[in-house]
Amino acid sequence: MKLLWSFLFLSCLCLGFLGHGYSEKPEVVKIGSIFSFNSVIGKVAKIAIEEAVKDVNSNPDILVGTRLQVSMQNSNCSGFMGMVEALRFMEKDIVGIIGPQCSVVAHMISHMANELRVPLLSFAVTDPVMSPLQFPYFIRTSQSDLYQMEAIASIVDLYGWKEVIAVFVDDDYGRNGVAALNDKLASRRLRITYKAGLHPDNAVNKNEIMNMLIKIMLLQPRIIVIHVYSELGFAVFKEAKYLGMMGNGYVWIATDWLSTTLDSSSPLPSERLESIQGALVLRPHTPDSKLKREFFARWRKNPDAPLALHTYGLYAYDSVMLLARALDKYFKHGGKISFSNDSMLDALGKSGSLNLEAMTVFDGGEALLKDILGTHMVGLTGQLQFTTDRSRIRPAYDIINVAGTGVRQIGYWSNHSGLSVLPPESLTKPNMSASQKLRHVIWPGEAFQKPRGWAFSNNGKELKIGVPRRVSYKEFVSQIRGTEYMFKGFCIDVFTAAVNLLPYAVPVKFIPYGNGKENPSYTHMVEMITSGNFDGVVGDIAIVTNRTKIVDFTQPYAASGLVVVAPFKKLNSGAWAFLRPFNRLMWAVTACCFLFVGIVVWILEHRINDEFRGPPKRQCVTILWFSFSTMFFAHRENTVSTLGRLVLIIWLFVVLIINSSYTASLTSILTVQQLSSPIKGIDSLREMDDRIGYQVGSFAERYLRDELNISESRLVPLGSPEAYAKALKDGPRKGGVAAIVDERPYVELFLSSNCAYRIVGQEFTKSGWGFAFPRDSPLAIDLSTAILELAENGDLQRIHDKWLMKNACTLENAELESDRLHLKSFWGLFLICGVACVLALFLYFVQIIRQLYNGKPSEEEEDAIGRENHDSSSLRSTRLQRFLSLMDEKEDVSKAGSKKRKIDGSVNDNSVSRHSRRLDSFNSVNPLD
């Protein structure tokens, strides 16, 4: 009996604990939802949220024993109404809010959510400015416009367009979205040319839209990005079609507001569908799944669904499921639903009649926020998971094209694969990469060819083209006398011919630049493009680095580069012309090499070759004869030793090269008229202290001063060909210049009538002439294509011949004196020959030393050794004599004498033999003695 009572007591105790634990979990959890009931997004979101709540309450795995209850409020996308409705929520012990839908409402109630610790799960606010640092309780379950604008920038960049026009609704949603677009375009060196804001009121002002579109028509860009609400967007498209802006040449890119309407109201009324033909539209991408297909099937069977299901309806459904799973996790972690009063609100409430004390702070708000961010789930929109900055992972968009009676998908964009024709989820596998392309697009006006993206406005405004007012070399560009805006010349004809090849009309007005007394500064003229004074600059404008940093140039239409012009004098052949092929150092080194090789061969052959033996006088003559006779391959002495033959064959090869070079140079000297100048090029000019001339207004001054570090005191500005000729004729001693540095086209024109001067040295800069336009100007690209066409069809050459073909000087076949042959051209050959000689001598002396130490010592050496080195200098002298004797003796005689010593063993004969060898070296007349 005692055991029975004990069991009953423990059972009641356990039931009491269980009952107490169960009571901590509420039967009902209240959540709120705030959005615009009458909008396209709101109508679908309302049904989706209700369906999600039903699924949660019927799901045995989520919130077991607790029912989810949602209350909805209509904000009508009004910041004031949104704040009022949110305050009403806070009186009902709400633990989370699904919404808001509009950015202006999100900015207002997010501050309140921060104070009352109620998480906001927005399924439609795409404003990229909603930062988690400023609004920690705001959670975006959709995709940020930051990624949508990145997708648009990728499309613009893909098609090679440079400028766009942004049409947007002038509120937080529109302004912040366009700001993000501007940043994404700028990162690709693209830009928004014009921003057109529209009033966000629902009452569409037709006149406001018409005036805005007329302004856009007067601009050059034809790429229009429209980021508005649906009713306002269709009003813009209607007026654009009326103005002919939905025809050829235009490109319209709409953000996801249009895809939302297309998905929910398909098919659109024919009037609306006709007004958006050819537009590109972005739609948030949701991967295909079984769960998604089943929900679409349920939606189609739902009689209460007023519209077809769109992407934001899926986001609303997933937001409810995410909050429910987070609440389930919150309860499992021991969380409680409790609220407390805010002391500040209590104080304010007591001092007024706003009933602020009714608003309470959710005690578990911070813990629930962490559970929401930590929940990973697969919903109707795919993987729902957040990054560190609270953005959804793997944002992606569908890119669709409105064509005919519907839409066609032309590709996708995702932040990890860019543009592709494959779904982003198929490119997340290893070794999968996307090729940045889209399918073919049917553009406005049913065009299949990609629009150029810009066109000249039809407002009659002419381009202000700056033209230099030159006072010299007027063949290139000059103002027609008696006119103000008319010019002629080579550069003007090239520009006119290129403009005529463009597929559109370019109205231009030439604006003269300069005082007409001296050539203007071309750098200053180019800088006036950046200040807006000129729309472009046409003339002989050199394409140099500092100018390309501020403007864009066309394809060069004329080659250019800096050259040096100097006076020259004629060189006659003369009696000593045969010495001119080599300079002095070359002659000296060549002569020394002849003597050196002769001595080396004599050393190598002296002991074994009778032709290199004899009295000293004869041997000196032999060395000289042998050395210089190799120049003509006329040496009669035969080489016997291997080392001697090696040295000789290498030397003969060197002689062959020297002879050939000398003959070629001498032939040129004797047959071609030579012109000589003390200046050989820019390097020799820099080393001198003489003055240098340059053309007024040319970039040559800056280049000589800044790049070559030539003192400004040496630089003399010259303004005309006559000034060139006078300065060169006077020379530096009479106040003139030693040389002139200028661009090749000017120099060639100058030399055509001044035959006393020539270009010396090589062209030391490479550049060209082009037409300058503002950065990223599409006109520069089209004109570059036209210039290439002029070059290919021969028109560019014909224009050149028309203006610049002059009578050449009578000395056109004369050449400036070419540099003489220098040692630097042959040092490699001399080095090879020298190394061979040194190596041969080394091997030869090694053999001599071995014979010296391996042979039998002489009597003098034996006597010195016998004296036990009392006189060390005597021993060294004896060995030196032995070494010299060994080098001088004939090798075959030495061998015979050695054999004879072995047979006879006679000391006297040995002494006589040594005596005869010394006589053979120094006193004998007969070399064979």
Side-chain angles (χ1 to χ4, degrees):
M1 182 63 70
K2 291 181 179 180
L3 293 174
L4 179 61
W5 283 108
S6 299
F7 175 75
L8 292 175
F9 175 76
L10 293 174
S11 298
C12 293
L13 185 64
C14 292
L15 288 174
F17 279 121
L18 290 173
H20 176 74
Y22 184 78
S23 63
E24 294 295 328
K25 191 174 182 180
E27 294 183 0
V28 177
V29 176
K30 298 179 181 179
I31 64 173
S33 181
I34 182 169
F35 52 90
S36 181
F37 287 176
N38 296 323
S39 65
V40 175
I41 294 178
K43 291 177 181 179
V44 174
K46 184 176 184 297
I47 304 300
I49 292 173
E50 291 174 349
E51 291 297 319
V53 171
K54 292 179 183 178
D55 291 346
V56 169
N57 292 332
S58 62
N59 193 330
D61 298 328
I62 305 176
L63 294 177
V64 179
T66 300
R67 186 170 57 88
L68 197 65
Q69 180 179 333
V70 60
S71 59
M72 302 182 186
Q73 300 293 342
N74 184 10
S75 68
N76 201 28
C77 280
S78 167
F80 175 75
M81 290 301 300
M83 181 180 64
V84 171
E85 298 299 341
L87 289 173
R88 294 176 60 185
F89 275 146
M90 299 310 169
E91 298 178 354
K92 301 178 181 179
D93 294 339
I94 297 295
V95 299
I97 296 178
I98 305 299
Q101 171 189 338
C102 303
S103 297
V104 63
V105 179
H107 281 277
M108 294 293 293
I109 69 174
S110 291
H111 294 285
M112 184 175 58
N114 292 346
E115 295 297 329
L116 303 180
R117 301 176 190 171
V118 178
L120 299 175
L121 283 77
S122 175
F123 58 87
V125 173
T126 58
D127 186 352
V129 175
M130 298 297 295
S131 166
L133 297 177
Q134 183 180 7
F135 307 112
Y137 282 84
F138 176 83
I139 303 169
R140 180 187 287 112
T141 58
S142 59
Q143 298 182 22
S144 170
D145 274 342
L146 197 66
Y147 301 108
Q148 181 168 211
M149 300 308 170
E150 175 70 20
I152 293 176
S154 299
I155 295 173
V156 174
D157 193 24
L158 174 68
Y159 289 112
W161 301 318
K162 298 297 182 181
E163 298 177 348
V164 304
I165 294 173
V167 177
F168 63 98
V169 58
D170 196 5
D171 62 3
D172 292 335
Y173 161 73
R175 286 192 301 269
N176 296 333
V178 170
L181 175 62
N182 187 68
D183 293 340
K184 296 302 181 180
L185 289 172
S187 66
R188 301 169 180 264
R189 288 195 63 186
L190 314 174
R191 67 190 183 104
I192 299 177
T193 303
Y194 179 71
K195 299 176 183 178
L198 295 173
H199 200 279
D201 287 349
N202 288 332
V204 178
N205 190 328
K206 179 179 178 181
N207 292 333
E208 180 186 359
I209 296 175
M210 186 71 73
N211 292 335
M212 179 266 297
L213 291 176
I214 291 175
K215 289 181 181 179
I216 292 176
M217 289 180 64
L218 300 180
L219 301 175
Q220 290 186 4
R222 289 294 182 260
I223 314 301
I224 304 172
V225 177
I226 180 168
H227 184 56
V228 293
Y229 301 124
S230 58
E231 292 300 320
L232 185 57
F234 281 112
V236 171
F237 275 116
K238 179 180 178 181
E239 302 303 326
K241 181 174 177 58
Y242 174 78
L243 293 175
M245 297 177 67
M246 297 303 297
N248 287 338
Y250 283 90
V251 176
W252 289 82
I253 303 176
T255 53
D256 54 13
W257 66 267
L258 182 53
S259 62
T260 301
T261 305
L262 289 170
D263 291 341
S264 60
S265 305
S266 182
L268 284 176
S270 59
E271 182 182 0
R272 285 193 167 184
L273 190 61
E274 283 294 326
S275 66
I276 60 174
Q277 288 294 308
L280 295 181
V281 188
L282 273 73
R283 174 174 58 199
H285 175 72
T286 55
D288 186 30
S289 65
K290 180 180 179 182
L291 187 64
K292 177 181 173 181
R293 291 193 296 270
E294 291 177 350
F295 189 76
F296 266 92
R298 281 175 52 191
W299 189 274
R300 286 190 289 268
K301 296 177 182 179
N302 190 342
D304 297 329
L307 299 173
L309 185 61
H310 52 62
T311 306
Y312 285 104
L314 302 179
Y315 283 138
Y317 181 93
D318 280 354
S319 299
V320 176
M321 298 301 295
L322 175 64
L323 181 58
R325 292 182 182 277
L327 284 168
D328 187 55
K329 185 187 296 185
Y330 172 77
F331 290 136
K332 290 180 179 179
H333 290 165
K336 301 177 182 180
I337 303 298
S338 63
F339 296 87
S340 59
N341 293 327
D342 188 293
S343 58
M344 295 179 61
L345 292 177
D346 288 343
L348 291 174
K350 292 177 181 179
S351 62
S353 58
L354 294 177
N355 195 27
L356 297 177
E357 66 273 10
M359 290 188 295
T360 56
V361 177
F362 179 31
D363 297 329
E366 185 174 356
L368 179 59
L369 177 65
K370 292 181 180 178
D371 288 333
I372 292 173
L373 296 175
T375 299
H376 300 167
M377 58 170 280
V378 177
L380 300 180
T381 57
Q383 182 71 29
L384 184 52
Q385 182 179 343
F386 298 100
T387 61
T388 54
D389 62 350
R390 297 191 184 179
S391 298
R392 289 192 59 158
I393 63 170
R394 298 175 183 172
Y397 286 87
D398 300 336
I399 303 173
I400 58 179
N401 178 212
V402 180
T405 58
V407 298
R408 50 190 293 269
Q409 187 151 338
I410 61 172
Y412 306 86
W413 178 91
S414 69
N415 69 329
H416 67 275
S417 61
L419 296 173
S420 173
V421 296
L422 300 175
E425 56 269 18
S426 66
L427 299 173
T428 58
K429 302 176 182 178
N431 301 324
M432 292 290 290
S433 60
S435 57
Q436 301 298 305
K437 65 178 181 180
L438 298 173
R439 296 186 181 93
H440 294 295
V441 179
I442 300 176
W443 304 100
E446 298 183 357
F448 293 92
Q449 185 176 1
K450 181 199 76 172
R452 186 170 58 249
W454 74 281
F456 277 101
S457 57
N458 55 2
N459 61 348
K461 180 182 177 181
E462 296 175 323
L463 290 181
K464 294 180 294 183
I465 303 297
V467 182
R469 185 183 291 174
R470 295 193 58 89
V471 297
S472 62
Y473 298 111
K474 294 186 176 182
E475 292 85 350
F476 295 104
V477 56
S478 63
Q479 189 173 13
I480 298 177
R481 183 176 300 179
T483 64
E484 185 177 0
Y485 303 114
M486 297 181 65
F487 289 81
K488 64 179 180 178
F490 169 70
C491 303
I492 301 300
D493 281 5
V494 172
F495 177 75
T496 303
V499 168
N500 291 336
L501 291 177
L502 298 179
Y504 47 86
V506 181
V508 299
K509 180 180 181 181
F510 292 135
I511 307 297
Y513 179 78
N515 55 20
K517 298 179 181 179
E518 63 179 8
N519 294 333
S521 171
Y522 283 27
T523 299
H524 293 164
M525 185 167 58
V526 169
E527 290 173 351
M528 293 187 70
I529 296 177
T530 61
S531 62
N533 294 319
F534 291 146
D535 297 318
V537 171
V538 170
D540 44 341
I541 314 297
I543 304 174
V544 293
T545 304
N546 65 324
R547 296 173 185 171
T548 58
K549 294 178 180 179
I550 58 176
V551 298
D552 281 351
F553 281 93
T554 63
Q555 171 80 13
Y557 63 88
S560 181
L562 294 179
V563 293
V564 178
V565 180
F568 67 92
K569 61 180 180 179
K570 301 177 183 178
L571 288 180
N572 298 321
S573 57
W576 302 99
F578 66 91
L579 294 177
R580 282 166 48 193
F582 292 163
N583 62 0
R584 294 180 181 179
L585 180 60
M586 182 64 183
W587 279 118
V589 171
T590 303
C592 290
C593 284
F594 274 107
L595 291 176
F596 176 69
V597 171
I599 293 172
V600 170
V601 173
W602 177 82
I603 292 174
L604 299 176
E605 296 289 325
H606 177 67
R607 299 183 66 236
I608 59 176
N609 193 339
D610 292 338
E611 295 184 3
F612 289 88
R613 299 183 63 82
K617 181 178 180 181
R618 180 174 180 177
Q619 293 186 51
C620 290
V621 173
T622 300
I623 292 174
L624 293 174
W625 164 256
F626 179 81
S627 299
F628 292 101
S629 63
T630 55
M631 181 186 299
F632 312 103
F633 306 98
H635 52 286
R636 64 180 183 179
E637 292 80 8
N638 294 322
T639 52
V640 177
S641 65
T642 303
L643 294 177
R645 291 176 175 176
L646 175 64
V647 170
L648 183 60
I649 195 170
I650 294 176
W651 172 243
L652 291 178
F653 174 73
V654 174
V655 170
L656 176 64
I657 300 300
I658 293 176
N659 278 342
S660 301
S661 303
Y662 175 85
T663 304
S665 180
L666 182 60
T667 302
S668 175
I669 291 173
L670 296 177
T671 57
V672 179
Q673 186 176 26
Q674 299 294 304
L675 308 177
S676 175
S677 174
I679 300 172
K680 304 302 180 184
I682 189 61
D683 293 331
S684 62
L685 190 60
R686 290 176 61 186
E687 296 171 358
M688 301 169 62
D689 294 328
D690 295 334
R691 301 204 301 172
I692 305 171
Y694 68 90
Q695 183 180 177
V696 175
S698 171
F699 77 97
E701 178 191 10
R702 183 198 60 82
Y703 186 86
L704 294 172
R705 184 185 65 246
D706 299 340
E707 301 296 334
L708 301 183
N709 298 319
I710 295 177
S711 174
E712 192 169 359
S713 61
R714 294 179 56 193
L715 303 179
V716 179
L718 301 172
S720 65
E722 294 76 14
Y724 279 22
K726 184 179 185 305
L728 289 173
K729 181 179 180 181
D730 293 343
R733 294 182 180 179
K734 296 182 180 180
V737 296
I740 292 175
V741 174
D742 204 353
E743 297 177 67
R744 179 175 286 275
Y746 303 123
V747 170
E748 290 177 347
L749 196 59
F750 168 72
L751 295 180
S752 65
S753 58
N754 293 272
C755 300
Y757 314 103
R758 281 292 183 272
I759 296 175
V760 295
Q762 300 295 323
E763 186 176 296
F764 56 93
T765 66
K766 295 291 184 181
S767 62
W769 288 353
F771 306 129
F773 292 94
R775 295 297 298 270
D776 302 321
S777 171
L779 184 58
I781 299 175
D782 289 354
L783 279 178
S784 296
T785 304
I787 290 172
L788 289 176
E789 186 175 347
L790 288 176
E792 292 173 357
N793 61 24
D795 288 344
L796 188 60
Q797 184 62 42
R798 282 188 284 272
I799 297 173
H800 176 275
D801 296 343
K802 171 186 174 182
W803 289 99
L804 305 179
M805 183 63 71
K806 303 294 182 181
N807 294 328
C809 292
T810 56
L811 297 178
E812 62 180 359
N813 294 325
E815 296 182 0
L816 274 177
E817 178 191 15
S818 59
D819 291 338
R820 291 180 172 182
L821 297 176
H822 294 272
L823 179 62
K824 63 182 179 181
S825 303
F826 300 93
W827 72 268
L829 291 172
F830 287 134
L831 178 63
I832 294 173
C833 183
V835 169
C837 291
V838 172
L839 182 61
L841 288 176
F842 174 76
L843 297 176
Y844 175 77
F845 285 124
V846 168
Q847 295 176 1
I848 295 297
I849 293 172
R850 288 182 60 188
Q851 292 183 21
L852 178 64
Y853 283 94
N854 293 338
K856 185 177 180 180
S858 63
E859 289 182 358
E860 291 82 352
E861 292 175 344
E862 291 176 353
D863 293 341
I865 295 172
R867 291 194 299 270
E868 299 179 353
N869 296 331
H870 288 295
D871 189 359
S872 58
S873 62
S874 177
L875 178 60
R876 287 194 296 270
S877 176
T878 303
R879 288 184 174 176
L880 180 59
Q881 293 176 7
R882 170 65 178 162
F883 177 76
L884 295 175
S885 176
L886 189 61
M887 286 188 61
D888 185 58
E889 71 180 6
K890 197 169 188 296
E891 187 174 353
D892 55 348
V893 175
S894 175
K895 293 179 181 179
S898 176
K899 294 178 181 179
K900 186 175 182 181
R901 285 195 299 271
K902 291 180 180 180
I903 296 172
D904 298 336
S906 172
V907 178
N908 293 330
D909 292 341
N910 195 18
S911 299
V912 172
S913 176
R914 287 197 300 272
H915 180 68
S916 69
R917 286 196 299 272
R918 293 192 185 97
L919 292 176
D920 184 34
S921 175
F922 299 105
N923 300 321
S924 176
V925 177
N926 187 358
L928 299 178
D929 189 4

